[in-house]
Amino acid sequence: MQDILKIMQERRSVRMPFDPDRPIAEQDLRQILEAGRWAPTAHNMQNFEIIVVDDRKILEDIGNIKSTISDTFIQENYQQLSFTEEELLHKKVGLLGTMFPPSWRTPGVKPVVEEGRSRPFPVCPTLLIVLYDPGKRAPASEGDFLGIISLGCMMENLWLMANSLGINFQIISALASGSVEKEVKRILTVPEHLKIAFTVRLGYSAVAPPSYLRVRRDIEDFSHHNHFGNRGFE
Ligand SMILES: Cc1cc2nc3c(=O)[nH]c(=O)nc-3n(C[C@H](O)[C@H](O)[C@H](O)COP(=O)(O)O)c2cc1C
């Protein structure tokens, strides 16, 4: 029991560049996909396809797509930010503002995509592009809510397996919408009817990833006993 909790607690996002010359071994990649394979999905629909991208030229082409940043992202990003570690420790949710360039964390300021930051993700030897069909849905599931939860289950399985193999992992949401998604789909010849759900960046960082403050609410903050509002289980 402790082992699985430890793997879950140690799973983390690594946002630094990964060594492009250190590929993921095929057997490790297969283990990661095997973990995804056994994810629970609504009605066992297994509503995903995964493109493994490790061709340098294709990675380069995807990496060269100009990323854009929407006003909606800036506004909603701001709401999740803390500006000191103390504030984040107190709030227990969200992210440290220093993870983002100054203009991305200041409401009212036009976001600037600085040179060198215009790539949609830092370099890596492998990307997993996870696709689904938004034209299908889990039975009677409005907005395919259950299908989308299923994709999240699959994401977590991939992530836990990668981390337990010592492989760094980052989710990249920026490839899943707008003109960037269109361009990625063109490069990878993805059929029109499929949508990118999320992208995974896999690899090994050349130096140990820096530790950063990771916060979570306490159990008492989100659990309710028998009636909503009866906090905790005491
Ligand atoms: C659906 C989803 C989308 C995410 N998108 C991104 C992303 O685009 N870029 C990124 O760096 N992290 C992304 N993350 C990672 C979260 O920011 C991260 O899991 C959270 O801050 C907790 O940090 P931890 O993973 O280190 O525990 C995403 C996570 C999920 C579940």
Side-chain angles (χ1 to χ4, degrees), residues 157-175:
N157 273 22
L158 300 175
W159 207 333
L160 292 173
M161 180 55 79
N163 265 228
S164 68
L165 292 167
I167 295 169
N168 294 151
F169 188 112
Q170 183 189 11
I171 299 293
I172 306 288
S173 298
L175 304 186

Side-chain angles (χ1 to χ4, degrees), residues 114-173:
E114 291 128 29
E115 201 44 49
R117 270 217 178 244
S118 61
R119 290 171 67 87
F121 54 86
V123 69
C124 64
T126 301
L127 286 177
L128 306 181
I129 313 273
V130 178
L131 308 167
Y132 75 108
D133 183 349
K136 290 190 181 152
R137 66 175 195 179
S141 174
E142 210 167 309
D144 195 25
F145 190 64
L146 299 177
I148 290 170
I149 292 176
S150 305
L151 294 170
C153 293
M154 211 275 294
M155 172 197 283
E156 181 72 349
N157 273 22
L158 300 175
W159 207 333
L160 292 173
M161 180 55 79
N163 265 228
S164 68
L165 292 167
I167 295 169
N168 294 151
F169 188 112
Q170 183 189 11
I171 299 293
I172 306 288
S173 298

